[in-house]
Amino acid sequence: MQHNNILILDFGSQYTQLIARRVRELNIYCEIHPYNKIPNNIDEYKAVILSGSPNSVRGEGVLHPDLKNIRGKKPLLGVCYGAQYLAHFSGGEVAPSNTREYGRANLSFVKEKEDFFHNIYEGSQVWMSHSDTIKKLPENAVLLASTHDVENAAYKIEGEPTYAIQFHPEVYHSTDGKQLLENFLVHIAGVNPDWTPQSFVEETVDELKSKLGNDKVVLGLSGGVDSSVAAMLLHKAIGKNLYCIFVNNGLLRKNEFHDVLEQYKGMGLNVKGVDASARFLDALAGLSDPEQKRKAIGRVFIEVFDDEAHEITDVKWLAQGTIYPDVIESVSATGGPSATIKSHHNVGGLPDFMKLKVVEPLKALFKDEVRRVGASMGMDKALLGRHPFPGPGLAIRILGDITAEKVRILQEVDAVFIGNLKKYDLYDSVWQAGAILLPVNSVGVMGDERTYEKCVALRAVESTDGMTADWVNLPYEFLQKTSNEIINKVKGVNRVVYDISSKPPATIEWE
Ligand code: XMP
């Protein structure tokens, strides 16, 4: 539990995580909890924010939080649904809007400006997204601001630190949204914005030291940002008692096993590289279904990791690079489970019999925060800026069955593509990129010879979290050079295509 903690109660809005990100950008720590699971230690939270929701406060879908230990007792901000909830159940009235209110609006202040609108000026642009509207304010409310279409756009409750706004301060289009959150949290709730990467490192290292004492910890490194930063934090806390294992599943990028292993050693980590390529390829032989491939890789990984972990006497803990988006319990608007699109296998999940306790030093951080924490520990920029890479690696970029030869071809193609992105300074502006080996041969002509060889697809996307993504408009000249280089250098490939599908409806990986 960090100090100065803010509680965000989630009513299922698509923007709830954005509220958390904005608050953290202010160097204030916060947590998201479902509206109906208020933490037992609520007294320790400095302020509470109620999120928006796809539901309505009228009728059957109403979501009721239990505010008895919150309302009037600590600073409270209702956003959209939160504002409507505070109005509707305290003597006010919420009704459907005559027109659905989406998009831009401009604030006009009704009451003399006060702390809540510090540094925000008449006409400030805000973003609306609601189909209900507050027709009548609740008891003891004072109207603070209106917009052209929404009379009750912001109000406060006399005699208690409760504020409510119909618009969304968390979205980029609310120009002064971050200022407004700062006003509420710093000026009204009196929170000290002192949650920085450095303070996170200090607090976490202290916590890890007292939690782990002299115990031994094992961690699976993947070459990615999360497991590497988790390892560095643990290394700072317990030094050589951290045992890292980096498994080569034979499906990594060209030279990656060697290069990354060297880099880890250079960072002072106690790391063992295990080359299990042959074991993985054997297990994959003859499999072409993507989910079967994922499962086979997951199973072999556990076997290999388990064998290695058994070599360490008296190991008590398993460390994982789990990050915040993986642990936020989501509120489903429909109440139903969401469909499994792909069974993402991530490092971890050891068999029960090992009975290791789990330690997850990054589980409070978003991805960009993990990078900042890594940078504050002096970790290499190139390691921190690496594109995400799936656990099953090239296995899900080779469509259909996998052979050593196909892996070789794809590694070569990928190396040209990624190498060129770096060479032409495009790597950092792309969220993720890679090549896909298609199960298609096509006719070509090289010299005077007819060829009948493989086709590869290149994919480069922009995204913030991988949930949605769009293809990157890479310069034609870059694509031209890269395609030429691939076809000239990589034996077995005579055709290159560029994937121009967004997610949804496509996904980032092809399998
Ligand atoms: P999709 O293909 O679902 O990918 O749009 C979203 C993000 O997840 C990664 N991904 C995986 N990561 N195991 C992983 O660890 C997997 O099985 C897996 N499948 C996809 C993908 O690379 C992208 O970053």
Side-chain angles (χ1 to χ4, degrees), residues 176-194:
D176 297 312
K178 201 165 139 187
Q179 175 73 55
L180 189 115
L181 289 170
E182 180 176 343
N183 293 346
F184 172 68
L185 294 171
V186 177
H187 297 283
I188 292 167
V191 176
N192 189 10
D194 60 357

Side-chain angles (χ1 to χ4, degrees), residues 133-205:
T133 199
I134 301 170
K135 286 274 189 267
K136 184 173 152 238
L137 290 179
E139 284 160 22
N140 301 330
V142 181
L143 183 62
L144 298 179
S146 303
T147 66
H148 183 270
D149 293 324
V150 179
E151 188 189 354
N152 297 317
Y155 65 87
K156 71 170 186 177
I157 305 291
E158 207 66 277
E160 58 181 88
T162 299
Y163 290 76
I165 48 183
Q166 180 57 73
F167 52 90
H168 288 270
E170 66 275 21
V171 305
Y172 170 79
H173 290 93
S174 285
T175 327
D176 297 312
K178 201 165 139 187
Q179 175 73 55
L180 189 115
L181 289 170
E182 180 176 343
N183 293 346
F184 172 68
L185 294 171
V186 177
H187 297 283
I188 292 167
V191 176
N192 189 10
D194 60 357
W195 189 70
T196 59
Q198 292 79 358
S199 71
F200 175 84
V201 171
E202 279 163 29
E203 276 178 39
T204 307
V205 168

Side-chain angles (χ1 to χ4, degrees), residues 346-367:
N346 276 310
V347 174
L350 281 183
D352 268 345
F353 62 83
M354 280 206 61
K355 301 274 183 277
L356 292 177
K357 292 184 273 185
V358 173
V359 54
E360 297 169 313
L362 304 178
K363 73 164 188 246
L365 300 188
F366 288 109
K367 189 89 178 182

Side-chain angles (χ1 to χ4, degrees), residues 117-363:
F117 289 120
H118 173 74
N119 264 345
I120 301 178
Y121 299 95
E122 188 76 16
S124 173
Q125 178 179 298
V126 294
W127 198 255
M128 294 285 183
S129 177
H130 58 112
S131 45
D132 278 356
T133 199
I134 301 170
K135 286 274 189 267
K136 184 173 152 238
L137 290 179
E139 284 160 22
N140 301 330
V142 181
L143 183 62
L144 298 179
S146 303
T147 66
H148 183 270
D149 293 324
V150 179
E151 188 189 354
N152 297 317
Y155 65 87
K156 71 170 186 177
I157 305 291
E158 207 66 277
E160 58 181 88
T162 299
Y163 290 76
I165 48 183
Q166 180 57 73
F167 52 90
H168 288 270
E170 66 275 21
V171 305
Y172 170 79
H173 290 93
S174 285
T175 327
D176 297 312
K178 201 165 139 187
Q179 175 73 55
L180 189 115
L181 289 170
E182 180 176 343
N183 293 346
F184 172 68
L185 294 171
V186 177
H187 297 283
I188 292 167
V191 176
N192 189 10
D194 60 357
W195 189 70
T196 59
Q198 292 79 358
S199 71
F200 175 84
V201 171
E202 279 163 29
E203 276 178 39
T204 307
V205 168
D206 285 349
E207 267 169 37
L208 290 171
K209 274 185 183 153
S210 64
K211 182 178 202 166
L212 303 172
N214 255 334
D215 289 354
K216 289 184 186 169
V217 178
V218 60
L219 176 144
L221 282 169
S222 69
V225 181
D226 302 339
S227 64
S228 307
V229 175
M232 266 320 266
L233 278 166
L234 283 152
H235 176 69
K236 266 180 175 289
I238 60 167
K240 293 287 176 214
N241 268 347
L242 173 67
Y243 291 77
C244 300
I245 296 169
F246 181 28
V247 177
N248 184 5
N249 57 13
L251 302 156
L252 302 174
R253 295 192 140 119
K254 189 179 172 187
N255 297 333
E256 188 169 28
F257 182 58
H258 173 266
D259 294 351
V260 176
L261 192 57
E262 287 307 305
Q263 200 171 13
Y264 283 142
K265 287 182 181 157
M267 286 154 57
L269 294 178
N270 174 11
V271 53
K272 179 167 181 193
V274 182
D275 189 353
S277 314
R279 219 162 140 180
F280 281 90
L281 278 183
D282 275 357
L284 284 167
L287 297 183
S288 37
D289 174 75
E291 290 304 290
Q292 280 187 12
K293 292 198 276 186
R294 278 192 173 81
K295 289 205 169 83
I297 292 168
R299 178 172 43 78
V300 178
F301 179 84
I302 287 170
E303 287 167 13
V304 173
F305 194 84
D306 202 17
D307 289 351
E308 292 301 324
H310 269 105
E311 300 279 302
I312 313 164
T313 44
D314 271 351
V315 61
K316 295 244 165 33
W317 297 82
L318 170 73
Q320 292 187 306
T322 317
I323 64 171
Y324 198 40
D326 304 330
V327 298
I328 299 176
E329 224 183 306
S330 58
V331 172
S332 152
T334 54
S338 55
T340 305
I341 311 285
K342 297 176 186 179
S343 67
H344 286 194
H345 149 72
N346 276 310
V347 174
L350 281 183
D352 268 345
F353 62 83
M354 280 206 61
K355 301 274 183 277
L356 292 177
K357 292 184 273 185
V358 173
V359 54
E360 297 169 313
L362 304 178
K363 73 164 188 246

Side-chain angles (χ1 to χ4, degrees), residues 294 342 344-346 390-392 396 431-432 466 503 507-509:
R294 278 192 173 81
K342 297 176 186 179
H344 286 194
H345 149 72
N346 276 310
I396 55 169
W431 191 77
Q432 184 172 16
K503 171 183 181 174
T507 51
I508 296 177
E509 305 295 345

